[in-house]
Every structure is written in C-alpha cells, then in structure tokens.
Amino acid sequence: MTQDTLPSAHPAIPPRRIGVLIANLGTPDGTDYWSMRRYLNEFLSDKRVIDLPSWKWQPILQGIILTKRPFTSGANYKTIWNTEANESPLMTITKEQVAALRDRAAGLWGDRVMVEFCMRYGNPSTEAVVDRMVKAGCDRILFLPLYPQYAGATSATANDQFFRALMKQVWQPAARTVAPYFDRPDYIAALAGSVTRALNGRVPRKLVASYHGMPKRYLMQGDPYHCQCQKTSRLLREALGWPEGVIDTSFQSVFGREEWLKPYTVEHVAELARQGITEIAVISPAFSSDCIETLEEIQGEIREAFGHAGGKEFTYIPCLNADPDHIDVLTTIITENLGGWI
C-alpha cells in the first residue's frame, strides 16, 4: 500500500529507510552542579556500572557521592570544555565522526540510509533518537556502540538501552547490533598508523596502552573485556613490528574500594619512572573519541604522576576520533553489518 492509496484517515507512512545509530558513552549538558548531578546520577545508577543492591548503593549515591562529586567533576570538565560550542570534547568529536559517516553513507547509498548518534547517558538520549529515526521511516536499525572491546558496563548497557527504546515503539523496527571489533586487522592498522605518526616512526622505551578500568570481579564472572584488551595490545605491537615488552597494558579510572583490573595506569607510569624509564608514550585503545578520561585524567593526573616520580618525556597519542583511517574502519563495519538489508 502506498501513501496515495491509503484511506484518508490513515496515519501517514514515511518512505522506508535503513537507520544506522552510533552510540557513545555520554556527556553532561554543562559543567554546573545540576547538569553534572543529572549526568552522574544516570551513569552511577546503571546496574551494569555499579551492580550493588539499590538499597545499599542508592543512599550512598544520593546522600554522599552526588552531594560532592558534581563539584569536582564539573571542575575537571571545565579544564577541557569546548567553550566555543558549549559542549564537551566527546560531543564535538562524536558529531565530527557522524558527519563523516553521513558523507560516506550518502556516497554509497544515497538517502536510503539515515545515520544518527545517541548517548547512553545524557543527551541526545537513545530513546529520543530511536523515536526520531522510526518516525523518519527507519524500519531497520543497525546499532553500533563505539567500543572496540566488549564490556558489560559499556557495550552491553548501550545495547540494553537501545532495546528498551525499541520496547516503546508501536511499530518496532528490525534491529541488529554490531559485535566488538577489538581484533579487526583494519582497526589494528588504524591504531598502528596513529602511533607511527605521533612518534614519527621511533620506538619508545615504553608505550602504555591504558584502557578504562572495571572491577576484577567482573572478569571472574565471565566478562571478556580484560582478555580483549590484552589481545588488542598484542596485535598492535605485532602490527608495529616491535619486540615484546615495549607495550604495557594497564587500566585507569578506578572507582570505589574493591580491587579493579591491574596494573592501575596512574601507579604503573610512576613505577616506570622510578625504574629509570623516563620517556613513555600513552595510548587509549578502548576509547573511540577523546573524552574526560583521556584529556583530563591521562593528560592531567597520570602525566603528573609520571613527572612527580621522575619522568621526563610524556607523549599522549590521541584517540582515533574522526581520523580518515578510523572512518574507513567504521564504514567497513557498517557496510558488512548491513548485508542483506541493502
């Protein structure tokens, strides 16, 4: 049935399209107390992130953490905030990535494919963007979380939110999610290229591959994140043709009192300096976009820990962001996952 043959009282039906929905972690709307509190409340209330029983965790979160942490987090965000656009760097970079992917999609498929982005926490929300895509005629949606390595607290919670959004649709689109791509040769090649360019082809004493952290308990429960991070580091070293021992894998952003995946980056870089390794480079292969963890934590706290322990030269290698090699990888992933749909 076409629009021309619909009964006069029938709701309008938009032309059929395929949607590609890119998902990133999220960002506060501003650096003020209430913007930070709303964002942190959503993030830290996620059971995939903090899996403590609500009766135990929520009084701590609402009564203690969200009273103080929005001030310190807001101050940290202010140091990296894109004041011209009044948004976080993560938002700016995600927009650049999606703009580049839209250009690629238009060249490949014309207006048949709609490329949008959402944030797991904050705005634009997954629910709002899914609703907009369905209203625009997307009867099939490919969901791509921007996490190379799978983790319950990143990839899985993004997928959870996507499916929750689908549950609210009267006419639910068909849906696919993209598998982790931590060991794809083209992704590893893009990482290696970024290292080579940043270091002008030289081999550092140490390249620290710093991944976002998670409680060790999650690994023991079967989360594959730790193993996938280790494999990414190994494949990166092999792609660069470096000897064993040049790349170290570590984990950052520790939260709470329980043991997290080790070594902790902030402690590891200080230990390297104390051992006499005073020149290091740091890369963040778990992040597709530079964000508070890379721009403030790595280039602030972690860099300072290295310097205070005697380190001299600290090189941060940016995330792949909107680099053409990265856009090539994402375009190929999208094309492969649209197989049979277009």
Side-chain angles (χ1 to χ4, degrees):
M1 184 177 290
T2 66
Q3 192 71 44
D4 293 337
T5 60
L6 290 175
S8 59
H10 197 287
I13 300 177
R16 294 180 65 196
R17 305 176 75 184
I18 295 170
V20 175
L21 181 53
I22 308 298
N24 217 328
L25 176 71
T27 170
D29 294 326
T31 61
D32 60 283
Y33 174 83
W34 289 108
S35 294
M36 291 303 312
R37 185 181 175 106
R38 283 192 299 271
Y39 173 73
L40 290 171
N41 183 50
E42 185 179 10
F43 176 47
L44 296 176
S45 293
D46 186 348
K47 289 285 191 177
R48 291 277 195 177
V49 176
I50 306 291
D51 64 351
L52 295 175
S54 295
W55 65 265
K56 178 185 292 186
W57 173 241
Q58 282 299 321
I60 298 172
L61 176 63
Q62 303 298 329
I64 301 174
I65 294 174
L66 292 181
T67 300
K68 299 180 180 180
R69 194 176 179 92
F71 291 110
T72 56
S73 294
N76 290 337
Y77 267 98
K78 283 180 181 178
T79 66
I80 64 167
W81 200 252
N82 181 347
T83 54
E84 183 176 346
N86 192 27
E87 62 189 20
S88 73
L90 176 68
M91 179 67 77
T92 302
I93 293 167
T94 303
K95 288 178 178 177
E96 292 170 352
Q97 292 169 324
V98 171
L101 289 171
R102 282 177 180 150
D103 287 344
R104 298 291 184 89
L108 289 168
W109 306 299
D111 62 358
R112 290 179 294 168
V113 173
M114 177 182 185
V115 181
E116 294 290 337
F117 77 95
C118 65
M119 297 294 183
R120 171 59 184 89
Y121 313 105
N123 296 306
S125 71
T126 306
E127 181 180 334
V129 179
V130 166
D131 188 62
R132 184 168 73 246
M133 296 177 81
V134 170
K135 288 176 178 176
C138 294
D139 61 357
R140 290 154 292 175
I141 298 178
L142 175 67
F143 187 69
L144 171 54
L146 283 180
Y147 305 113
Q149 300 82 17
Y150 173 94
T154 55
S155 310
T157 189
N159 289 336
D160 291 345
Q161 196 74 347
F162 174 54
F163 287 114
R164 278 192 285 266
L166 293 180
M167 289 170 64
K168 298 187 177 181
Q169 292 300 317
V170 174
W171 189 348
Q172 193 177 69
R176 293 176 178 173
T177 60
V178 174
Y181 51 96
F182 64 97
D183 58 354
R184 286 182 61 101
D186 51 0
Y187 164 68
I188 297 298
L191 279 180
S194 72
V195 172
T196 299
R197 290 190 297 272
L199 300 179
N200 295 316
R202 63 187 175 86
V203 180
R205 290 284 304 279
K206 281 287 185 183
L207 172 62
V208 177
S210 180
Y211 298 82
H212 65 78
M214 68 181 328
K216 182 180 178 180
R217 173 169 49 87
Y218 291 8
L219 167 63
M220 298 297 102
Q221 292 170 349
D223 193 299
Y225 176 70
H226 178 266
C227 299
Q228 293 184 1
C229 293
Q230 295 287 354
K231 187 171 184 180
T232 296
S233 295
R234 175 176 63 80
L235 292 175
L236 174 59
R237 179 186 61 77
E238 292 173 356
L240 290 165
W242 292 356
E244 292 186 17
V246 176
I247 298 182
D248 289 352
T249 296
S250 63
F251 300 90
Q252 63 184 87
S253 308
V254 176
F255 179 80
R257 296 181 178 180
E258 71 176 300
E259 182 180 0
W260 281 42
L261 298 178
K262 291 183 177 180
Y264 302 149
T265 302
V266 68
E267 296 177 359
H268 185 63
V269 298
E271 180 59 28
L272 290 175
R274 287 191 289 268
Q275 292 173 2
I277 300 176
T278 60
E279 178 261 322
I280 66 171
V282 179
I283 190 171
S284 300
F287 299 99
S288 294
S289 316
D290 275 305
C291 54
I292 189 74
E293 287 89 348
T294 64
L295 299 175
E296 193 280 328
E297 185 177 0
I298 289 180
Q299 300 218 66
E301 178 188 1
I302 292 169
R303 180 191 290 269
E304 289 173 5
F306 180 67
H308 290 162
K312 303 297 183 184
E313 185 175 343
F314 184 103
T315 301
Y316 172 64
I317 300 171
C319 295
L320 292 177
N321 295 326
D323 184 274
D325 289 345
H326 192 205
I327 302 304
D328 286 344
V329 173
L330 296 176
T331 301
T332 302
I333 290 172
I334 290 169
T335 303
E336 291 173 357
N337 280 271
L338 289 180
W341 277 3
I342 195 166

